Structure formats: structure tokens, C-alpha cells
């Protein structure tokens, strides 16, 4: 198994967990905060999509498709404090964009050889690990970390544990 295939495999679990956690939630559920000053799921989803796009764009030589106009501002750190549904995309749009971004990421990953994945990560994303492969693999950890927070929100709104 190549490094790219291994990394792709490691991204399957967070995709499964995230899809499961989101499946029965409404747009309103995505705006519930687990605690004061904590981020709601809607903002976290936008943050994750934007982060994955940024991380992949830092290691790919070919340009990636752009996120929708205004997306970066809509999901900025400053926007995280908003509870206004009009400030964010709806669940259906976010889930569609999440899947499109993951498809872009996996397509980009598939073009890397083992040797290329072992090259040093650019300084801009070296916090994910020392190599290009670590940047891709870091997405699994990032998505699972946030999905773990969503399990708390699901309990707050009366949903039973899924996993």
C-alpha cells in the first residue's frame, strides 16, 4: 500500500463519523453551543472545510478549485461569535461543500508519490507535521477532534450516542 493510499484510508473514519453526527441534525441544531464562547457546529464545519482547502493548497503545485466567494469571511474567527443563522450557510450547502472539498483533497493526494509525500512540509503548514504526507494525514486528526466536540452538542439536544 502506498503512503497516499494509507492516508486516504485514514481519512475514511473521520468522514464516516462526521456524516453520522450530522445526518439527523437540523440547521438550528448546528447553531447550538456546548458552552458559552464555544463554537457551534456550523462554524466548525466551515472552519474545517476552509482549513482543509488551505492545507491542501499549501502542498499542491496545481491550484485547487476556489471555495465560494465570501466563504473565508463568513467562517473567520470573528464570525465564530455570531448566532445569526443568516451569517452562515445551511447544513445542506455545508455538507455538499465538505464532500466536494474532500474529493478535491483525495484527488490531489492521489497524484503524490511516496517520495513526494516524504518531502518537508512547507513552513506555513508544518504545524501538522514535518512532511507533506503529514499535512494530508493531519486532516483526519483535525476532523476527528472537532467531531468529538459535536458528540457533546448532540447530547445537549437530546440525541443518543452513535459511536
Amino acid at each position: 500500500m502506498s503512503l497516499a493510499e494509507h492516508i486516504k484510508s485514514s481519512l475514511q473514519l473521520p468522514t464516516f463519523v462526521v456524516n453520522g453526527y450530522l445526518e439527523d441534525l437540523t440547521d438550528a441544531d448546528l447553531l447550538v453551543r456546548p458552552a458559552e464562547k464555544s463554537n457551534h457546529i456550523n462554524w466548525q464545519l466551515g472552519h474545517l472545510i476552509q482549513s482543509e482547502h488551505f492545507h491542501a493548497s499549501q502542498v499542491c503545485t496545481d491550484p485547487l478549485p476556489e471555495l465560494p466567494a465570501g466563504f473565508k469571511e463568513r467562517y473567520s474567527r470573528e464570525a465564530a461569535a455570531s448566532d445569526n443563522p443568516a451569517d452562515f450557510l445551511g447544513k445542506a450547502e455545508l455538507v455538499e461543500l465538505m464532500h466536494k472539498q474532500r474529493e478535491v483533497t483525495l484527488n490531489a493526494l492521489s497524484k503524490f508519490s511516496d517520495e513526494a509525500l516524504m518531502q518537508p512540509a512547507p513552513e506555513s503548514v508544518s504545524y501538522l507535521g514535518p512532511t507533506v504526507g503529514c499535512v494530508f494525514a493531519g486532516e483526519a486528526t483535525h476532523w476527528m477532534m472537532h467531531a468529538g466536540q459535536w458528540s457533546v452538542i448532540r447530547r445537549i439536544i437530546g440525541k443518543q450516542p452513535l459511536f
Side-chain angles (χ1 to χ4, degrees):
M1 179 181 270
S2 70
L3 288 175
E5 290 168 331
H6 179 71
I7 294 167
K8 180 181 177 181
S9 175
S10 74
L11 289 167
Q12 290 173 344
L13 179 61
T15 300
F16 173 77
V17 169
V18 164
N19 284 329
Y21 280 163
L22 294 175
E23 186 175 23
D24 62 348
L25 299 181
T26 65
D27 284 343
D29 293 337
L30 267 58
L31 293 172
V32 172
R33 295 179 188 275
E36 187 179 341
K37 297 184 182 178
S38 295
N39 297 322
H40 48 68
I41 294 172
N42 188 301
W43 184 86
Q44 289 183 49
L45 263 173
H47 160 73
L48 286 161
I49 293 164
Q50 186 170 284
S51 293
E52 184 166 324
H53 183 272
F54 172 74
H55 296 148
S57 72
Q58 295 300 293
V59 296
C60 294
T61 54
D62 295 332
L64 301 180
E66 291 296 323
L67 293 172
F71 189 84
K72 185 175 180 179
E73 296 76 22
R74 198 171 228 179
Y75 289 93
S76 67
R77 288 181 191 220
E78 296 76 25
S82 175
D83 290 316
N84 181 357
D87 291 344
F88 303 100
L89 296 178
K91 175 187 160 184
E93 293 173 280
L94 279 171
V95 169
E96 180 181 349
L97 191 54
M98 170 184 77
H99 288 292
K100 282 182 181 177
Q101 181 57 54
R102 180 53 52 87
E103 185 179 322
V104 165
T105 300
L106 292 176
N107 183 46
L109 173 62
S110 72
K111 296 176 183 176
F112 281 81
S113 66
D114 284 359
E115 183 180 356
L117 289 168
M118 293 304 295
Q119 294 302 306
E123 178 85 21
S124 60
V125 289
S126 62
Y127 52 84
L128 290 170
T131 67
V132 169
C134 288
V135 173
F136 283 106
E139 291 309 315
T141 304
H142 192 203
W143 281 84
M144 285 299 281
M145 183 270 299
H146 282 285
Q149 296 172 38
W150 304 350
S151 66
V152 174
I153 295 170
R154 289 181 56 80
R155 295 306 291 272
I156 289 170
I157 62 176
K159 302 289 185 183
Q160 292 299 311
L162 293 179
F163 310 107

